[in-house]
Amino acid sequence: MLPVLVLQHTDLHLCDLSHLNAIMPSNPEYTFDNSVLRLPVSVDFELSESAQTQLIEQKIDFAILPDQSFADLGLIVSDMDSTLITIECVDEIAAGVGLQAQVAAITERSMRGEIDFEQSLRARVALLKGLPIEELKQVYEHVLKLSPGAEWLLQQCQKHAVKFMLVSGGFTYFTQRLQQQYGLDYTFANQLVIQDNVLNGELAGRIIDAQAKADLLVQFREKLGLNPMQVLAMGDGANDIPMLQAAGFGVAYHAKPKTQAATSINIRFGGLDAVRKWFR
């Protein structure tokens, strides 16, 4: 299966692509649809650093992918916070007790890979001790929003029988509600301990950390009888890296620098609809 160079921008007609002429075949049989340009390339094709820099400067997302259809995928595995949704739930919960800045600082260090994820998660949850469960309801109903293109991507997964698994270092309170609202196939997250409708500052059961995310991807890939190239994973933080690297397609979505460097597929500017549009 020959690869294609995929370029996406809200209006590619306004972009300068002349710097690609020297590395593209003459009169390439390209296709252009839904703001996506697909150019057939050779198996050993690579984008030079200068070409990549110029594409990024013009806010053009790009990737080199096999020329396959979206329906050829069997499973998409996604992080939740700052990937499927626009917020970090624990930070928004913390706002209810006036600790948003303190908790957000720990979150940022964890997502950058500067501190251990489980350690940082337990520290943040401990700060939430005494918070009424009503605060989580407020976050879900009034703050949480899907990322641009996410709802359409989920509809496309259902249309093409691609399973969707949400694997989050966040909390089951949110993943279970997203599953019910959007018909997600599988969800895994961390369980907050709630006593008398109040958070007690602890977690129950298995911690969903970086390794757990990767393990669940492999487990369900095997359960569904898929090969690696039928699995796509997407995430933004350092704790998503093992999962991205375990997938046939690892997509860093508006990601931290360490995560961007760990995979060759980056969505820096567009929405999650790119995950669908980049495939036939």
Side-chain angles (χ1 to χ4, degrees):
M1 186 179 296
L2 292 176
V4 290
L5 170 63
V6 181
L7 307 176
Q8 184 172 29
H9 184 273
T10 52
D11 194 344
L12 277 173
H13 295 295
L14 298 180
C15 299
D16 177 16
L17 301 179
S18 60
H19 53 282
L20 295 178
N21 292 340
I23 56 176
M24 296 304 303
S26 59
N27 300 317
E29 296 181 3
Y30 66 87
T31 59
F32 182 78
D33 185 49
N34 290 325
S35 73
V36 176
L37 182 67
R38 297 166 57 84
L39 289 155
V41 294
S42 62
V43 174
D44 58 354
F45 176 83
E46 292 184 7
L47 273 177
S48 67
E49 288 189 14
S50 62
Q52 293 185 43
T53 298
Q54 291 183 65
L55 290 171
I56 291 170
E57 287 176 349
Q58 296 183 85
K59 300 188 184 313
I60 298 174
D61 282 321
F62 57 90
I64 300 172
L65 302 168
D67 188 16
Q68 72 179 56
S69 71
F70 182 75
D72 288 335
L73 295 175
L75 175 67
I76 291 180
V77 183
S78 177
D79 176 43
M80 179 175 69
D81 294 351
S82 297
T83 301
L84 187 68
I85 64 175
T86 61
I87 63 171
E88 292 287 333
C89 289
V90 67
D91 296 353
E92 299 300 333
I93 297 169
V97 287
L99 292 170
Q100 186 173 27
Q102 186 175 346
V103 169
I106 300 173
T107 301
E108 179 68 13
R109 290 188 63 201
S110 175
M111 297 307 288
R112 289 184 177 276
E114 297 173 0
I115 54 176
D116 175 74
F117 175 78
E118 181 175 348
Q119 176 189 359
S120 73
L121 179 64
R122 292 190 183 279
R124 286 174 286 171
V125 170
L127 291 171
L128 303 180
K129 184 177 181 179
L131 193 71
I133 193 70
E134 182 67 22
E135 292 294 338
L136 279 69
K137 181 180 179 182
Q138 288 294 315
V139 170
Y140 187 82
E141 294 183 352
H142 302 292
V143 183
L144 185 150
K145 294 181 180 179
L146 292 186
S147 294
E151 188 166 2
W152 185 71
L153 173 61
L154 293 174
Q155 292 169 353
Q156 289 291 303
C157 286
Q158 293 170 0
K159 178 180 178 180
H160 295 281
V162 177
K163 300 292 186 183
F164 193 95
M165 182 163 70
L166 190 60
V167 182
S168 174
F171 308 121
T172 56
Y173 182 94
F174 299 101
T175 58
Q176 290 173 355
R177 283 160 178 76
L178 286 167
Q179 182 175 30
Q180 294 169 1
Q181 184 171 353
Y182 295 103
L184 309 183
D185 296 286
Y186 317 105
T187 63
F188 296 90
N190 295 299
Q191 178 69 54
L192 292 164
V193 178
I194 300 170
Q195 296 176 335
D196 298 323
N197 292 319
V198 172
L199 303 187
N200 81 343
E202 298 178 357
L203 293 164
R206 177 188 184 185
I207 297 298
I208 304 298
D209 58 9
Q211 190 57 52
K213 288 184 175 187
D215 290 346
L216 284 164
L217 182 151
V218 173
Q219 176 185 335
F220 276 79
R221 183 190 73 202
E222 295 176 349
K223 178 180 179 179
L224 296 170
L226 304 174
N227 65 58
M229 297 306 292
Q230 290 180 284
V231 181
L232 182 148
M234 54 193 195
D236 70 298
N239 66 317
D240 296 314
I241 291 174
M243 175 179 77
L244 299 183
Q245 294 179 335
F249 301 98
V251 180
Y253 178 73
H254 292 239
K256 304 301 182 186
K258 186 174 182 178
T259 313
Q260 286 190 22
T263 179
S264 61
I265 308 175
N266 280 274
I267 300 175
R268 296 179 174 89
F269 311 108
L272 288 178
D273 52 310
V275 173
R276 166 66 185 95
K277 292 177 178 178
W278 284 359
F279 295 89
R280 284 189 279 106

